[in-house]
Amino acid sequence: MNQSLNLAVPLIKKYEGFSATSYLCPAGYKTIGYGHKILSGEKIAEPLSEDKALELLAADAEIAGEAIKRLIKRLLTPEQTAALLSFTYNLGAAALQRSTLRRKVNAGQDGMVPKELMKWVRVKGRIMSGLVARRKEEGGLYISNAKSLVV
């Protein structure tokens, strides 16, 4: 998972951006740092340091990684795992769990994954250009080394 995390973190940071103060994301969630969704009752001192933001990112990525381990029933390359980490970090485990994307991954239909990722570019019905770019990059990463499996 370390290699996958090393591939996913720059992608996550690029598309989430950094904010030392809390804000409402386009989906309406109170967010801080690198896209950390502030949970009910969670207290985070502001302004948030970048070091603390990276700690939150690592913890959130670990949660996403655990969801991938639970929901994906086949071996993946580090690139495939990194792409799914970015997706799951952004949208949560529930989105991965209920998606056709998960079914395509589990069925080994790797060529279909970029198309499935592109279904996840809307917020409240509106296509978001940042999500379009992110999903294209995730799709490219997913298929970039699809032939060599990690044991």
Side-chain angles (χ1 to χ4, degrees):
M1 184 66 82
N2 276 350
Q3 188 178 359
S4 298
L5 192 57
N6 290 340
L7 290 167
V9 165
L11 186 61
I12 291 167
K13 286 172 70 175
K14 175 181 177 179
Y15 288 105
E16 296 292 343
F18 172 73
S19 179
T21 56
S22 59
Y23 62 96
L24 288 181
C25 75
Y29 298 110
K30 192 172 178 185
T31 307
I32 196 165
Y34 290 105
H36 172 75
K37 181 178 163 184
I38 301 173
L39 303 174
S40 178
E42 184 177 22
K43 302 286 186 229
I44 298 178
E46 295 183 48
L48 184 71
S49 71
E50 188 160 1
D51 285 345
K52 181 62 177 169
L54 289 171
E55 286 177 26
L56 292 170
L57 189 159
D60 291 344
E62 186 174 329
I63 292 167
E66 290 302 317
I68 292 166
K69 286 179 189 173
R70 187 177 76 251
L71 296 169
I72 302 302
K73 305 300 182 190
R74 58 179 276 248
L75 294 174
L76 299 174
T77 68
E79 293 82 2
Q80 290 169 323
T81 303
L84 294 179
L85 270 171
S86 175
F87 174 87
T88 307
Y89 184 98
N90 181 228
L91 294 168
L96 179 63
Q97 183 173 0
R98 70 178 183 262
S99 69
T100 304
L101 168 67
R102 177 180 63 91
R103 289 191 286 283
K104 298 289 184 189
V105 171
N106 281 331
Q109 296 174 327
D110 294 330
M112 298 295 294
V113 168
K115 180 181 174 187
E116 290 302 318
L117 286 166
M118 293 308 295
K119 293 178 179 179
W120 297 86
V121 298
R122 296 177 189 273
V123 175
K124 298 181 179 178
R126 292 184 48 228
I127 294 175
M128 306 296 286
S129 60
L131 289 178
V132 171
R134 183 177 189 155
R135 299 297 171 246
K136 283 182 181 176
E137 196 163 343
E138 290 166 349
L141 179 60
Y142 186 91
I143 61 171
S144 67
N145 195 17
K147 298 292 185 239
S148 73
L149 290 178
V150 176
V151 181

